[in-house]
């Protein structure tokens, strides 16, 4: 069960996905080189776990927050995710 509604992004081409992986690595986030998988990030010092699904053809990326601390709101998590995706060249859908 998701902890937040899914976050949807568009314009996530293979080049944008690679940029997202590189930016993630700089921020301590390991994004697998696969069209779907799991990611753990730290937001405001708290661990958040995601499942992701990326469709290279359509350029759509869906991030689903599967677990988060109760004190951390979905809007804060979404802002963090939006920033990283937009810095890599993706756009909110």
């Amino acid at each position: 069960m998701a902890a937040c509604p899914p976050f949807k992004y568009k314009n996530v081409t293979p080049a944008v996905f690679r940029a997202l992986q590189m930016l993630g690595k700089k921020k301590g986030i390991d994004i697998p080189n696969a069209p779907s998988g799991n990611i753990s990030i730290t937001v405001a010092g708290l661990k958040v776990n995601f499942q992701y699904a990326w469709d290279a053809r359509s350029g759509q990326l869906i991030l689903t927050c599967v677990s988060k601390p109760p004190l951390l709101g979905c809007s804060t998590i979404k802002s963090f995710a939006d920033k990283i995706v937009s810095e890599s060249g993706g756009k909110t859908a």
Side-chain angles (χ1 to χ4, degrees):
M1 186 173 155
C4 296
F7 309 147
K8 296 180 181 180
Y9 302 94
K10 59 186 179 182
N11 194 46
V12 182
T13 63
V16 169
F17 191 76
R18 283 190 300 276
L20 184 59
Q21 287 176 303
M22 289 190 303
L23 182 59
K25 187 173 264 188
K26 288 180 186 175
K27 295 181 180 283
I29 303 166
D30 182 29
I31 301 170
N33 193 21
S36 63
N38 298 303
I39 306 168
S40 291
I41 66 171
T42 301
V43 178
L46 303 168
K47 188 173 179 178
V48 179
N49 296 306
F50 288 95
Q51 289 178 339
Y52 75 92
W54 171 56
D55 183 341
R57 275 193 228 179
S58 70
Q60 184 177 47
L61 172 66
I62 300 173
L63 291 176
T64 304
C65 178
V66 292
S67 68
K68 67 173 190 64
L71 297 174
L72 197 55
C74 292
S75 61
T76 301
I77 296 167
K78 184 173 186 325
S79 293
F80 184 87
D82 288 355
K83 185 174 189 296
I84 291 175
V85 172
S86 68
E87 284 178 20
S88 301
K91 299 178 179 163
T92 56

